[in-house]
Structure formats: structure tokens, C-alpha cells
Amino acid sequence: MKDFNLDLHLVTDRGLSCGRLLLEIVRAAVAGGISVVQLREKDCSTRDFLDLGRAVAAELKGRSVPLLINDRVDIALAIGADGVHLGQSDMPYPMARMLLGPAALIGLSVESVADALAAESLDVAYLGISPVYSTATKTDLKEPLGLAGIRDIRAISRHRLVAIGGIHAGNTRDILDAGAHGVAVVSAICSAGDPGQAAREIRRQISAAREGKRSHSGAATAPE
Amino acid sequence: MKDFNLDLHLVTDRGLSCGRLLLEIVRAAVAGGISVVQLREKDCSTRDFLDLGRAVAAELKGRSVPLLINDRVDIALAIGADGVHLGQSDMPYPMARMLLGPAALIGLSVESVADALAAESLDVAYLGISPVYSTATKTDLKEPLGLAGIRDIRAISRHRLVAIGGIHAGNTRDILDAGAHGVAVVSAICSAGDPGQAAREIRRQISAAREGKRSHSGAATAPE
């Protein structure tokens, strides 16, 4: 499984139309500094999902921004995506790994410490901690885990952690300070008037959080 | 691609609950003489679809009734189903064949003579002619093709043809007389008070249609 930068995931939403608008958002967000795209489409036909996936893959070609497909292993296989993101109601990890092979990036959502403990034996690329805050984007989730949830999971997990749910530039620093290695956002970029600028601002907050940690740990602060 | 009997497909419907009820219907329908099960679930989570698929596969184990998965190539791969049924908005045939391998049964819905002509070069197990009659089961389809549609496609296609849409025991004979090799039903079995009896009655009509053809062609009538 190849290494990759998981600082800032753009997760697309079913509320976004399949087509040009999404491609424009992805293009702007990549320019703004996102490091992963997770394509999440729950209402598309398989053929539309394939077409959209191919278009996004073409957009990302030659950039070091992996494309992950939410849930649908068949779509990931068909378009040669870098991997998948699996929720707790999606295909179980071992089956997805078997179908996708050892090189695929597989991210896994965890909604509790128990979920995170169950993932200790898995070769996942990261755990998605979901949801950190309440959000209108997904309404079928459990109680928000909050910063305490990040700390609890960080304490027991060997995996890199990506927080999702209600995250924006204003709370990114708190989330990294609590122990997350990266953040995933939906509306903070997709619904922003200027998605590129929104991505840049979250990036800045991530850098600030890292800078703050370096300062606190007494290391020399490196210029940005 | 192995040979199989495509006389009578049971197609499950999203309106049926995922779980025990569906298994009971499948069990009764198999006892009643269906020859193929196509599992169609549009609203399940992937994990529920997998669980249901495994349960149906276990029910069919050892019987010569193939299990096809509607649309979802990943589900078919994960549970080792016999194949998939693809609609015109699902994964294109060549990609599905590549992922599933040469032994998989792949059925393809066609909604016009043009669709059927486009399928001439494909190694499909059958073409599903859809819809023959109007039906409340699927509301997103084109105008019904009717018996004339079956005749038109039969005239130009090298493939075996399975008709679907508004089919029940009362019109099965007309459909086979028009040139279909088999029929696929949803509500005629799934919604029947006695699914096994409903399957038997459609089977009887299929036999009667075959018998009628043998009689017309002057061959000796074989006892049933």
C-alpha cells in the first residue's frame, strides 16, 4: 500500500449534481491544496457513477492526489481508482481487500472506540472518525464523537486518523490538536462560494496546528 | 459460460424487505419450479445486500438454479454469484465481463431493437426484453414493447430472450408464442399469496406453450 498525504480530504456529496459542477469544484479544490478526493455518490446509476469517476480520475491524473470511491468496490475496480472508503454498512474490509488487491488504499469509517479496536488488525490506509460534529450532510449517523472521541480513539489506535463531520477552517486546528492526522470535509468546500479559497484556508489551519505542535514540543520552528 | 435453463426467472424487488420473507419466497418459488433467481435490491446498504445475497446463495446451493445479481458486480464477486443482470444504466457489458471473467452469466436488458442490435457482438447469457407490458413495479421505463416488440427483437437477435414487465400466468403463453425463450416475473410470484403455487402455474403455461409449438410443428406430443 503506497504512502500518501491524508491532510485534507474532499468528500463529494450526493446533493451535488453528477457532472461539470463537481469537476469544477474538484479542480478548484485541488488547486487550493486538498490531498485526497473521495467520490461519494449514492443516487447515481452505476453508469453515471462510472462516467463521473472516470472524469474525476482524468482530472487528477499526474497529480499526487489519490481518488477513493465511497462504498462501491465495483466502481473502483472499473475505473482503476486508488482505493475505496468503506463505512460500517459497506463491504467488510477483508472482502474489499481481496477484491482490490494489496496496493489499494482502503479507508474505514469508525463511529466508536469499539469500531476502532476492531480495525487494529486491518491494513487500512486510515480510519475516518465519524462524525466529529453534527452535520446536515449525513443524517443517519450516531451521536457526534466530539474532540473527546478523537482523543479516545487516538489513545488506542495504531492507524492514522481522519476526522469528518461538521469540519471547516474554524475548527480544523482543534481537531488536529485533539490527535487527528487529517480532516475530511464536504460542505466546507463543496458549498463554498470559492472552493479553492476554502481549501486554502483549511490547509492554512492545518499548517498552523502543525506549527503550534512543533513550537510546543520545543523543536525549532521551520519556515513555512 | 455454462448453459442453464432460463425458462422462469424470479426477480426480487426493492419493495420486499431484506431478510427472512424474501428467503421464504425464494424457497417456495424454487419448489414451484423457477429456474433462475435475480436478486434486485436498490435500497439496501452494501452490507445488507451481501448478507441477503449470501443467504439466497446458501438456499440455492446444490440446486441447478443460478443466482444473478442485478447491477452490482461487486456483490456478485463478493458472494461468488453465478453472474449479474445489467440494465442499460448499469456497468457496460465489456467492463463487467472483464471483472467477472469468462464463466460468469451476464444478462442484459434491452429496451429497443437498437439495444438488441448493439448486443449482437456480446457474449450475453440472454437479453431481457423490458418492459413487455406496463407494470407498477418499475416506473422509470420506456413505453411497453408488447408482443410486437418481442417479435421484432426475435427477428434480429441471435440471443435467447427473456421477457419481463407485467408478466403472469395469464399472458405467459402469448409471450412465448411471440418468440421469447423465457419469462421473468416480479410481483406475479413475490406478491402472490402462495408464491410456490404461482410459480407452478407459470411453469405450466410455459409447458403448454412449448407443447403447442410441438403440436403445430407436427412433432409427436410428449407427455408432461
Side-chain angles (χ1 to χ4, degrees), chain A residues 8-223:
Chain A
L8 177 51
H9 296 227
L10 169 65
V11 180
T12 70
D13 183 70
R14 72 178 79 182
L16 295 168
S17 62
C18 292
R20 186 164 173 78
L21 178 59
L22 184 56
L23 266 189
E24 281 171 12
I25 290 168
V26 167
R27 193 173 298 141
V30 168
I34 60 164
S35 62
V36 178
V37 174
Q38 181 196 132
L39 196 58
R40 183 165 74 183
E41 293 294 330
K42 294 291 189 189
D43 294 329
C44 267
S45 72
T46 294
R47 191 156 305 188
D48 287 344
F49 200 164
L50 284 170
D51 289 344
L52 184 62
R54 281 204 193 88
V56 173
E59 181 63 36
L60 298 178
K61 194 173 169 148
R63 306 174 189 279
S64 53
V65 177
L67 173 60
L68 306 182
I69 305 296
N70 182 284
D71 180 13
R72 294 287 299 267
V73 169
D74 50 351
I75 304 285
L77 286 168
I79 70 170
D82 298 280
V84 293
H85 180 89
L86 302 175
Q88 293 286 323
S89 301
D90 298 338
M91 187 178 288
Y93 170 89
M95 181 59 69
R97 174 62 72 195
M98 199 189 76
L99 294 176
L100 292 163
L105 304 175
I106 302 182
L108 178 68
S109 286
V110 295
E111 296 170 17
S112 65
V113 167
D115 287 346
L117 282 170
E120 277 297 276
S121 63
L122 310 179
D123 185 26
V124 294
Y126 64 90
L127 296 181
I129 300 184
S130 165
V132 173
Y133 299 116
S134 63
T135 164
T137 304
K138 288 191 85 172
T139 54
D140 58 339
L141 295 171
K142 296 181 186 171
E143 278 292 287
L145 296 165
L147 297 175
I150 296 175
R151 284 188 209 101
D152 291 347
I153 291 174
R154 177 66 186 263
I156 59 92
S157 179
R158 69 184 179 92
H159 294 302
R160 295 197 293 174
L161 307 179
V162 176
I164 188 169
I167 298 176
H168 49 75
N171 56 26
T172 291
R173 198 163 167 174
D174 291 342
I175 285 164
L176 268 70
D177 285 347
H181 302 84
V183 295
V185 304
V186 188
S187 60
I189 290 180
C190 290
S191 305
D194 184 339
Q197 183 53 35
R200 264 183 292 276
E201 183 52 32
I202 299 170
R203 262 260 167 243
R204 208 167 1 247
Q205 295 300 322
I206 293 171
S207 297
R210 300 253 164 84
E211 198 59 36
K213 275 188 192 168
R214 275 196 290 272
S215 302
H216 285 305
S217 67
T221 54

Side-chain angles (χ1 to χ4, degrees), chain B residues 9-34:
Chain B
H9 297 227
L10 170 65
V11 180
T12 69
D13 184 69
R14 71 178 79 180
L16 295 168
S17 61
C18 293
R20 183 161 176 80
L21 178 59
L22 183 57
L23 266 189
E24 281 170 12
I25 290 168
V26 167
R27 193 173 298 141
V30 168
I34 60 164

Side-chain angles (χ1 to χ4, degrees), chain B residues 6-7 154 159-163 175-176 179-183 206 210:
Chain B
L6 49 56
D7 283 356
R154 178 66 185 264
H159 295 301
R160 294 198 292 174
L161 307 178
V162 176
I175 285 165
L176 267 70
H181 302 84
V183 295
I206 293 172
R210 299 252 164 84

